Amino acid sequence: MQQCELDHVALNATDVDRLLKFYAGLFGWCTERVDEWREGKVPFPSLRVNARTIIDLFPSSESMTLKQSSDTHLNHFCIAVDLSTFRAVQSKAQELGAEAAGGPRQLWGARGMAVSQYYKDPEGNLFEVRCYEA
C-alpha cells in the first residue's frame, strides 16, 4: 500500500475574508492566492497549514465542476498542535469569534490518545484542536 497523507480540506464560506482572518489569527497560518482571488484570477484563496497541507476557502456563490452544496457531510476537521499552541488557541479563540463546542477532553486520534478541544468558526464549521503532548 502506498503512503498517503492529507493534501487539503475545502470549506464553503459565505465570508471568505472573515475566515481568512480568523484562521490566520488563531493559528498564525499564512494565506495564499488572496490577491489573485480578489482580482478574479483564481476561484478561491487558501491557508497554509504546513509545507504539505492547505485549507481552501470556497465562496458559497462559486460554482464548481463537482456539485457544491452549503449542506455538508463534513463533521469536523482536526489540527494537531504542540502544547504551547494548544494553550494559545484556548486563550485566543473567543477573541477571534470561535465558540467552544466541547472539551477539553481525552480522545483517540491518528497518533493515539490526546487532549482535544472543539470549536466552531465564525461560519459554524466545527474544528478540533488536539495536543498529543498534554
Side-chain angles (χ1 to χ4, degrees):
M1 178 179 276
Q2 289 184 321
Q3 181 68 25
C4 298
E5 63 184 44
L6 185 64
D7 182 84
H8 71 276
V9 172
L11 296 177
N12 292 329
T14 58
D15 188 339
V16 171
D17 286 310
R18 179 173 61 174
L19 287 187
L20 286 167
K21 183 178 177 182
F22 174 78
Y23 285 111
L26 190 61
F27 292 107
W29 294 338
C30 294
T31 59
E32 296 190 1
R33 301 173 6 132
V34 175
D35 291 338
E36 295 94 328
W37 169 68
R38 288 193 176 119
E39 294 167 4
K41 295 177 180 175
V42 297
F44 57 87
S46 303
L47 292 148
R48 174 72 48 193
V49 176
N50 59 39
R52 298 163 74 125
T53 308
I54 58 174
I55 295 178
D56 297 328
L57 299 178
F58 283 89
S60 294
S61 61
E62 189 69 35
S63 61
M64 296 176 54
T65 305
L66 298 175
K67 184 178 187 288
Q68 177 179 332
S69 171
S70 59
D71 298 328
T72 180
H73 293 282
L74 176 69
N75 182 280
H76 72 279
F77 62 93
C78 179
I79 303 298
V81 298
D82 61 23
L83 185 57
S84 64
T85 302
F86 186 84
R87 290 180 177 149
V89 167
Q90 285 180 306
S91 298
K92 199 169 206 176
Q94 187 175 13
E95 169 190 328
L96 292 171
E99 172 190 339
R105 63 180 183 211
Q106 288 285 322
L107 294 172
W108 175 259
R111 293 181 254 161
M113 294 301 289
V115 64
S116 289
Q117 173 76 51
Y118 286 87
Y119 299 94
K120 286 187 179 178
D121 73 19
E123 296 220 359
N125 297 302
L126 187 64
F127 67 97
E128 176 183 355
V129 180
R130 163 176 297 252
C131 178
Y132 286 97
E133 298 173 25

